[in-house]
Amino acid sequence: MKTFSVATLGCRVNHYEAEQIASVLRGRGLSRVPAPGGDVRVVHTCSVTTEAAVKSRQATRRATRLTVLGQTEAATTEFDGPAKVIVTGCWAMSDRAAAEALPGVSAVIGHSDDVHGRLNGLLDAWLPPASAPRKSSLGMMSLPQLGERQTEHQRAFLKVQDGCDAHCTYCIIPQLRPNLWSKSTDDAVDEANAMVAAGHREIVLTGIFLGAFGQPTALRRRQPADRKPLAELIDALCTRVPGLLRLRMSSLEPGDLDADLIRTLGRYEQVVPHFHLPLQSGSDALLRRMNRQYSRQQFIEMIDQVNEAFDRPAVTTDIIAGFPGEDDAAFADTLAVADHARFVHIHAFPYSPRPNTAAARWTDRRLPPAVVDERMNLLRDRASTFSIAFANQFVGQDVTVLVEHQKERTGLRHGRCERYFDVHFEADEMVRAGDLLRARMDRVTAGRVHGTVQA
Ligand code: SF4
């Protein structure tokens, strides 16, 4: 047994955890190959929507069927026996029995298991036993912190929080990741320093509910009012990690991005002016039925504060189209907030009923698919109009670009700028993935921004 792969679905937390799993397998002497190949194949799954669950199942079936050489016969590998397929992540929690029943699946490890212990137990059975002693604890938190270069992306994901107990009525996550956990600030600083030492210039701070970092609950009304652990963490990362050039926040809930946190974020040039703030709906009636922790007015006020505090910040969002009972007036409210915020990108999701969630029981209030599709298209049209207008503000100006891996067929390179959009540019062979370059913005066309690298 010599090789492994990790196929990853879902959120940034999942991508961080996939790197943790990869570091355990590398630690046992295996080398990484592209998914779904390899002697050991891990599928780190997602179950946030029905579609994600279906894709997780499909990715698992692909891993069980694909041989090393890609022929679709009972997966065989260089060592004697079929490839070992391990299913981890949220689908392993929401649909454990279904995953275990799939032919060719060797093991299913859920968040409620000692993930590190189970993984090594399996490897002990398949490989010469490891000498290093292991600490045992439950869930993904049992896995070792990261210190190597993350191979799948140039921006390093740094998970500092897990779990959610907010119970939005459409969301399955509190069932799959019920235990709130936060990394210590010192451990986060150590890990960030290791990521910078490994060559990462940008770190994306992530969690299941990032705003609940250092808090006993994600329910804001039950959080101690005098404590600001997330602001303290940002202070620490921006003052104790030399060489960290860009710090990006992943998703923040309205209410977490309060005046204090905005002040802290505004204090540091490393903090990029891009904020992902899930709105879900612009209707107060729907926000209440979704059990969200903010009102329409609070969301709008937060957007205004962000626009005041930062120079032309990029604001992106998540919106659910077709939540049960979403009438025309409610959707019009959502469009009105989108028009006010001028979101640079809208992750528009069709409502997806998830098992054992409150909203899944409201079957009498479901909307016809045609109406949902129409609303999805309206949201996407809005976002593309806003993103072109937003990017056009920077034509003739310089932005910083973090160069991505792939070279395009056209020979162009591309990379993400501090304000979220990608810039495409010509570059010589000296330019490497992970470099942070200055580029002059030349022009914006539908779906693409063109720039020229500056000396
Ligand atoms: S805050 Fe709501 S949507 Fe987000 S993970 Fe928690 S329950 Fe799900």
Side-chain angles (χ1 to χ4, degrees), residues 164-168 170-174 208-209 218 253 280 292-293:
C164 182
D165 59 352
H167 291 285
C168 299
Y170 53 83
C171 186
I172 195 174
I173 303 296
I208 294 298
F209 197 124
E253 298 280 329
Q280 305 301 12
R292 299 291 282 164
Q293 302 185 69

Side-chain angles (χ1 to χ4, degrees), residues 60-235:
T60 304
R61 289 185 64 70
R62 249 193 321 278
T64 58
R65 300 171 66 78
L66 195 66
T67 68
V68 175
L69 305 173
Q71 284 82 24
T72 48
E73 57 189 83
T76 57
T77 64
E78 290 166 23
F79 69 96
D80 52 3
K84 303 294 185 185
V85 175
I86 306 171
V87 181
T88 59
C90 290
W91 187 64
M93 284 293 285
S94 64
D95 297 79
R96 188 186 283 262
E100 283 167 347
L102 280 177
V105 168
S106 316
V108 176
I109 307 176
H111 297 312
S112 52
D113 301 327
D114 169 4
V115 178
H116 196 194
R118 291 268 329 266
L119 205 50
N120 272 303
L122 292 166
L123 295 171
D124 286 348
W126 302 333
L127 294 167
S131 52
R134 260 168 265 132
K135 67 178 175 59
S136 168
S137 68
L138 284 185
M140 303 306 286
M141 288 64 93
S142 64
L143 287 166
Q145 290 194 167
L146 292 181
E148 305 140 338
R149 179 122 188 183
Q150 298 182 18
T151 49
E152 304 294 294
H153 25 75
Q154 297 314 314
R155 301 174 294 152
F157 296 133
L158 174 52
K159 173 187 168 182
V160 294
Q161 189 275 345
D162 202 333
C164 182
D165 59 352
H167 291 285
C168 299
T169 54
Y170 53 83
C171 186
I172 195 174
I173 303 296
Q175 295 171 46
L176 311 179
R177 294 179 182 256
N179 307 318
L180 269 82
W181 165 89
S182 292
K183 187 168 287 176
S184 75
T185 294
D186 287 344
D187 282 352
V189 167
D190 291 348
E191 205 172 359
N193 274 305
M195 289 171 174
V196 168
H200 288 289
R201 309 268 190 298
E202 175 176 329
I203 287 177
V204 181
L205 211 51
T206 192
I208 294 298
F209 197 124
L210 184 58
F213 172 79
Q215 300 284 4
T217 172
L219 296 172
R220 214 161 289 113
R221 62 184 180 279
R222 294 198 193 134
Q223 292 174 349
D226 57 350
R227 296 210 37 243
K228 302 288 178 187
L230 183 56
E232 290 156 17
L233 173 65
I234 288 154
D235 281 331

Side-chain angles (χ1 to χ4, degrees), residues 312-358:
R312 296 165 296 171
V315 178
T316 56
T317 195
D318 300 334
I319 293 178
I320 296 175
F323 185 78
E326 184 187 56
D327 57 19
D328 293 350
F331 187 64
D333 284 344
T334 298
L335 289 179
V337 175
D339 292 344
H340 178 87
R342 299 183 67 76
F343 296 118
V344 172
H345 184 74
I346 299 176
H347 295 265
F349 297 93
Y351 169 67
S352 171
R354 299 308 287 135
N356 308 318
T357 57

